[in-house]
Amino acid sequence: MIKVDDLNIYFGSKTSAIHAVKSASFDVAEGESYGLVGESGSGKSTVLRAIVGLVPDWTGKIEVDGNTIVGKRSKSQRKMMQMVFQDPYGSLHPRRTVNDTLKEPLAIHGFDNQEQRIIDALDEVGLGAEFRFRYPHQVSGGQRQRVAIARALILEPKIILLDEPTSALDVSVQAEILNLLGRIQKSRGLTYIMVSHDLAVVGHLCSRIAVMNRGVIIEEITDDQLRSGEVGQAYTKQLWTASKGYDRTALEKFEDFK
Ligand code: ADP
Ligand code: MG
C-alpha cells in the first residue's frame, strides 16, 4: 500500500540545510500497521509529512496504492490518506463545534448524507450524537482525540498516518485510544503507519517497526523481537529497556468503557 524508497528530506537553504531524513526505505502492506519509533527529533514526523505532501524538499520515491507520487497530491490521493496528530487541542479549531469539524471534509469532497455520516463517525469512535454541538474545550483530551479520529475516518480513507496519537494523553486514556485504533483498523481493513517515541505504544498495534535515529532507519524489528528484546542495535535495546517502564500486559487487559 505504501512504498518508500531512498527518501531524503531537507529543510532550509543550501548553506544551512538540515538533512532531516537520510535514505529511508520501507514498505507497508495493505491492512498492516507499521511502526516508526525513535527519540524526539529523529525525523519520524517528517517522514509522515512527506508521505502526505506537507514537506516541499525531498528526493527518492514514494508510492501509494501502486501510484508513484509526483508533485502535488490529487484530491483523491488526499482523501485516501488521513493523518491524526499528537495534540488534539492544536488540531481542532477552538471555535468550531465537533459537527463543523466533521462536516468540513465532507463538504470539500462533496459527500452526500452528511448528517448521517457525522452521527455514524461519532458512533464508531464511541461518542454519542450529543457531542455534535460541543466545542473542543467542552470535551476531555481523550474525547478530543476521538473526534480527530472520527474526522480522519469520515472520508473513508485507506491509510491513516498516526503521529504520536496518544502521547498527550494520560496512560489509562492512551490504552483506550490504542484499543479503539486497533478495533477500527480491523473492522475497516485500514493501513496504518504509527509514529511514537515509545516502543511499547507502537508495539501494541504494529507487527513491524522501523527504528529511527538521527534521520536514519537503523533497523526494522518484528513483534517477536519486541517481545524477547533480541534486537540488533544497542540504540534499539535502549528504547526497549525504556519501554519496559510501561506494562504491556496491563495495557492488553485494559478494557474500553464507553
Ligand atoms: P520527530 O518527529 O522524530 O520528533 P521531526 O521529524 O519533527 O522529528 O524532526 C526531525 C528534524 O528535522 C529535527 O532536527 C527538526 O528540528 C527538523 N525539522 C522538522 N521540521 C522542520 C522545519 N519545518 N524546518 C526546519 N527543520 C525542521
Ligand atoms: Mg514528531
Side-chain angles (χ1 to χ4, degrees):
M1 184 58 83
I2 301 167
K3 210 169 159 61
V4 169
D5 191 30
D6 196 20
L7 178 66
N8 286 279
I9 305 171
Y10 308 88
F11 291 110
S13 63
K14 286 270 180 292
T15 46
S16 63
I18 300 170
H19 193 176
V21 174
K22 297 170 185 160
S23 192
S25 301
F26 61 90
D27 46 61
V28 187
E30 184 168 5
E32 185 181 8
S33 278
Y34 191 79
L36 212 51
V37 75
E39 285 172 278
S40 177
S42 55
K44 309 178 299 293
S45 298
T46 302
V47 169
L48 291 193
R49 291 165 59 81
I51 295 172
V52 291
L54 293 173
V55 296
D57 207 1
W58 58 277
T59 63
K61 193 172 172 187
I62 301 174
E63 220 178 275
V64 177
D65 200 15
N67 299 308
T68 302
I69 302 270
V70 270
K72 279 202 167 164
R73 308 296 184 275
S74 67
K75 206 168 177 183
S76 70
Q77 280 170 337
R78 277 186 280 132
K79 173 177 168 292
M80 74 174 292
M81 260 189 296
Q82 295 294 315
M83 200 153 160
V84 174
F85 298 92
Q86 168 176 356
D87 174 14
Y89 254 128
S91 68
L92 298 180
H93 194 290
R95 280 192 293 276
R96 268 187 210 149
T97 61
V98 168
N99 197 71
D100 293 341
T101 293
L102 297 179
K103 200 177 175 128
E104 188 186 25
L106 292 175
I108 290 171
H109 290 271
F111 278 66
D112 59 0
N113 299 324
Q114 294 184 1
E115 188 173 326
Q116 193 57 49
R117 287 178 193 274
I118 290 169
I119 293 168
D120 291 347
L122 286 172
D123 182 56
E124 191 170 358
V125 299
L127 297 175
E130 73 273 14
F131 280 86
R132 276 173 71 195
F133 300 105
R134 295 201 197 168
Y135 289 90
H137 72 271
Q138 295 172 321
V139 303
S140 72
Q143 288 164 344
R144 264 195 302 279
Q145 201 54 309
R146 287 175 193 261
V147 173
I149 294 166
R151 177 177 55 186
L153 290 174
I154 208 159
L155 292 177
E156 296 171 8
K158 290 188 178 177
I159 297 166
I160 299 194
L161 305 178
L162 301 152
D163 193 354
E164 308 258 11
T166 65
S167 299
L169 305 172
D170 296 343
V171 172
S172 63
V173 181
Q174 282 192 11
E176 284 180 19
I177 297 294
L178 289 175
N179 290 337
L180 173 71
L181 288 169
R183 267 205 314 275
I184 291 170
Q185 190 203 18
K186 278 200 195 80
S187 68
R188 290 198 177 217
L190 288 166
T191 305
Y192 282 174
I193 301 181
M194 179 165 175
V195 159
S196 177
H197 64 277
D198 188 327
L199 196 48
V201 169
V202 279
H204 188 64
L205 276 183
C206 304
S207 48
R208 283 189 306 141
I209 299 164
V211 181
M212 280 191 89
N213 187 19
R214 296 169 189 268
V216 179
I217 294 181
I218 58 165
E219 74 175 309
E220 190 179 273
I221 62 171
T222 62
D223 49 354
D224 281 342
Q225 283 176 289
L226 186 62
R227 262 188 294 277
S228 65
E230 285 165 31
V231 296
Q233 300 285 328
Y235 177 77
T236 311
K237 186 75 184 187
Q238 186 182 305
L239 287 179
W240 185 82
T241 307
S243 76
K244 292 290 109 183
Y246 200 92
D247 188 348
R248 257 187 119 224
T249 342
L251 190 59
E252 261 142 26
K253 285 193 193 128
F254 205 90
E255 282 184 56
D256 187 1
F257 295 100
K258 277 196 186 167

